[in-house]
Amino acid sequence: MADTEPTPALEAELQATFGPHLEALCARTARALEAGGFSGLLVHSGSALTVFEDDRTYPFLAHAPFKVWVPLADVPDSYIWFKPGSRPVLVLHQPRDYWYKPADLPRGYWVRHFEVVAAADAAAARAALPADLSRAAYIGDATPELASWGLGTVNPRDLMRRLDYDRAAKSPYELACLRAANRLGARGHLAATRAFERGASEFEIELEFLRACGAREQELPYNPIIALNEGGAVLHYQVLEKRVPRERHSLLIDAGAQFAGYASDITRTHSFADADFRALIGRMDGLQQRLCARVRAGVDWRDIHLAAHEETGALLREADLVRCPGEEAVATGLTRVFLPHGIGHLLGIEVHDVGGFMKTPAQGEIPRPEGHPYLRLTRVLEPGFVVTMEPGIYFIPQLLEAARANDAQANRINWPRVASLSKFGGIRIEDDLAVSRSGCENLTREAFRAVAAA
Ligand code: GLY
Ligand code: MN
Ligand code: MN
């Protein structure tokens, strides 16, 4: 079992930074409530969903707006109540159940900043809240009992947008959590790589990843993408094949861990024994690092995405995958055949974090560049934003088929070269970056260094 307890140094950092973080969260929530004319905010953790005609439930994942307040991912039917000027209240659902174990009262660096009230059922939860909630905003599921709670507004869109917008820039506390999530993820990746090298199946590689992170699947921020060979061409490959393939060419692993509710999102690609594919991974690594070097506050993320396509055009040419200059590969849409997804996204409580398109809370959305429908971030970077940088090239049969039917593209592709590389699926390299005024901190590479040195 992995030792995933925070070190004393991290524990001290969390102790020191959570208070100021919560103070800032309270202040911005108070401003948002005031702008909407609300007296307070009630946030629901969510309810466990039952399988159709069965009595077991799907894995419970707490709603993100609840995890914004407390690092509790596994407590259904609980609430945060925040009234500006008062200490936030955690109403923790603690049923008198003997079929399932009720949640323990929480402990840790954050608990002293909350008033914690245990509630055995919905009536007790309601009784723990102010009698008059008619001017309060509620974020969460419209549960059956809600109708009788006398709440002002359920899921008010403008308020939620404002709160989402503010989540992009992370506090020192959040950066500490994101660094820790990256260290856990790096440990998982190193274990997964060793499993690949000794011939494990996709499923066994996942087990090694989980063991090294000290996590069960539902505690990860997303389902790991663990693809051997041509599976790497499926962008969110989900199979986890239990059989070992006859031949072993490559591993594309996109897997992250969670710490205190914050996610890491990390991808590495490995060649088993092929020097040519290994060299191509090396080229992609260089490309990724050049893109990382462009990241700093004030940069429009759309420009980074478009720069990634210029870089990809040059790489396709150098790797002899296309028979035209890089600029032509961009102009004819060829780079989008090989790189169909966005170059990165905001990261935080959610792996694809909220607010990626917002001009301001009140104004509309910033559009994606024409022809790039999958980009998830269009904002200008600010200090404290955490983003992923995840360039790649893939040999995707559906997109290559379409390119074969496109005159402008078909003649420019080196088809024999593509055919010889297709068994590797594709390459993606993904790091998490914390933006600053002068550049960025690469949380992922730092984490790999720290884990290797430990
Ligand atoms: N792991 C999903 C992504 O990289 O966006
Ligand atoms: Mn990502
Ligand atoms: Mn990823």
Side-chain angles (χ1 to χ4, degrees):
M1 175 66 204
D3 173 15
T4 52
E5 287 299 307
T7 60
L10 176 56
E11 185 64 39
E13 190 179 11
L14 299 172
Q15 284 280 0
T17 55
F18 186 79
H21 162 73
L22 184 66
E23 223 170 274
L25 173 62
C26 288
R28 67 181 198 241
T29 305
R31 281 195 297 276
L33 288 168
E34 193 183 349
F38 297 109
S39 62
L41 174 67
L42 186 64
V43 187
H44 181 216
S45 68
S47 297
L49 275 175
T50 309
V51 175
F52 184 64
E53 292 196 328
D54 200 339
D55 65 354
R56 66 192 171 128
T57 56
Y58 292 101
F60 175 74
L61 306 175
H63 292 338
F66 178 83
K67 289 204 299 170
V68 163
W69 291 86
V70 286
L72 292 176
D74 55 357
V75 291
D77 303 314
S78 299
Y79 299 88
I80 293 291
W81 165 246
F82 171 65
K83 182 175 163 43
S86 308
R87 208 150 63 119
V89 182
L90 166 65
V91 181
L92 183 78
H93 182 51
Q94 211 179 41
R96 290 192 236 294
D97 192 358
Y98 51 87
W99 289 98
Y100 296 98
K101 186 181 178 305
D104 290 325
L105 282 178
R107 289 151 42 121
Y109 56 88
W110 58 274
V111 174
R112 68 191 158 95
H113 299 279
F114 289 80
E115 187 185 329
V116 180
V117 185
D121 53 26
R126 179 65 189 89
L129 298 169
D132 180 7
L133 289 173
S134 61
R135 289 182 51 235
Y138 172 86
I139 298 178
D141 301 324
T143 53
E145 59 268 15
L146 203 63
S148 64
W149 283 24
L151 268 160
T153 315
V154 175
N155 294 325
R157 197 178 126 75
D158 288 352
L159 175 77
M160 290 169 73
R161 278 181 60 85
R162 191 178 277 267
L163 296 175
D164 287 352
Y165 184 79
D166 289 337
R167 270 170 55 182
K170 271 60 181 183
S171 67
Y173 163 75
E174 293 179 292
L175 291 174
C177 293
L178 287 156
R179 284 188 198 102
N182 268 275
R183 284 194 295 272
L184 285 172
R187 279 159 65 155
H189 271 265
L190 293 176
T193 308
R194 285 194 293 272
F196 166 61
E197 284 165 356
R198 63 170 184 267
S201 68
E202 293 167 351
F203 176 63
E204 288 163 339
I205 293 170
E206 190 197 52
L207 293 180
E208 290 305 314
F209 182 85
L210 291 168
R211 184 194 300 276
C213 295
R216 58 201 288 197
E217 223 173 32
Q218 72 202 62
E219 290 171 320
L220 299 182
Y222 58 94
N223 295 334
I225 297 160
I226 297 177
L228 292 173
N229 304 341
E230 63 280 353
V234 180
L235 297 178
H236 284 171
Y237 179 85
Q238 79 286 22
V239 176
L240 293 177
E241 175 62 56
K242 294 198 171 96
R243 278 171 308 193
V244 175
R246 240 198 310 276
E247 291 181 0
R248 213 172 343 155
H249 303 300
S250 58
L251 168 67
L252 189 157
I253 169 165
D254 181 344
Q258 219 174 162
F259 181 87
Y262 289 84
S264 58
D265 182 7
I266 304 172
T267 310
R268 291 292 182 265
T269 309
H270 304 281
S271 172
F272 184 65
D274 187 281
D276 179 37
F277 187 61
R278 183 165 295 133
L280 196 53
I281 296 171
R283 275 187 201 278
M284 182 56 73
D285 195 59
L287 182 161
Q288 197 258 12
Q289 290 290 283
R290 287 193 295 282
L291 291 174
C292 290
R294 290 172 176 260
V295 171
R296 60 173 46 78
V299 170
D300 187 326
W301 188 251
R302 293 175 298 181
D303 291 339
I304 303 261
H305 177 83
L306 296 175
H309 277 270
E310 283 166 27
E311 285 272 3
T312 303
L315 181 144
L316 292 172
R317 177 69 219 111
E318 283 164 23
D320 200 25
L321 280 156
V322 297
R323 295 188 161 125
C324 64
E327 302 80 48
E328 237 176 86
V330 177
T332 53
L334 267 180
T335 57
R336 283 177 278 153
V337 173
F338 290 93
L339 171 59
H341 60 70
I343 196 61
H345 49 86
L346 291 170
L347 178 75
I349 291 271
E350 283 164 287
V351 66
H352 298 138
D353 218 5
V354 289
F357 302 105
M358 295 169 65
K359 210 175 275 179
T360 69
Q363 293 173 302
E365 300 205 324
I366 306 167
R368 298 177 174 102
E370 180 93 27
H372 296 267
Y374 300 115
L375 185 60
R376 296 174 191 264
L377 173 60
T378 54
R379 283 167 75 172
V380 172
L381 299 178
E382 294 174 29
F385 277 25
V386 173
V387 295
T388 65
M389 180 64 80
E390 48 183 305
I393 58 166
Y394 311 87
F395 308 103
I396 300 175
Q398 297 88 331
L399 298 184
L400 289 167
E401 255 169 53
R404 221 183 252 285
N406 177 326
D407 287 343
Q409 295 178 340
N411 296 331
R412 291 179 164 90
I413 292 177
N414 181 351
W415 291 104
R417 176 96 171 119
V418 167
S420 73
L421 285 168
S422 289
K423 65 183 179 204
F424 299 103
I427 302 174
R428 175 160 71 254
I429 296 177
E430 177 176 27
D431 292 338
D432 305 340
L433 312 175
V435 178
S436 65
R437 285 191 201 290
S438 59
C440 66
E441 175 188 342
N442 191 318
L443 307 177
T444 308
R445 304 243 170 180
E446 277 303 317
F448 274 110
R449 269 192 284 276
V451 171

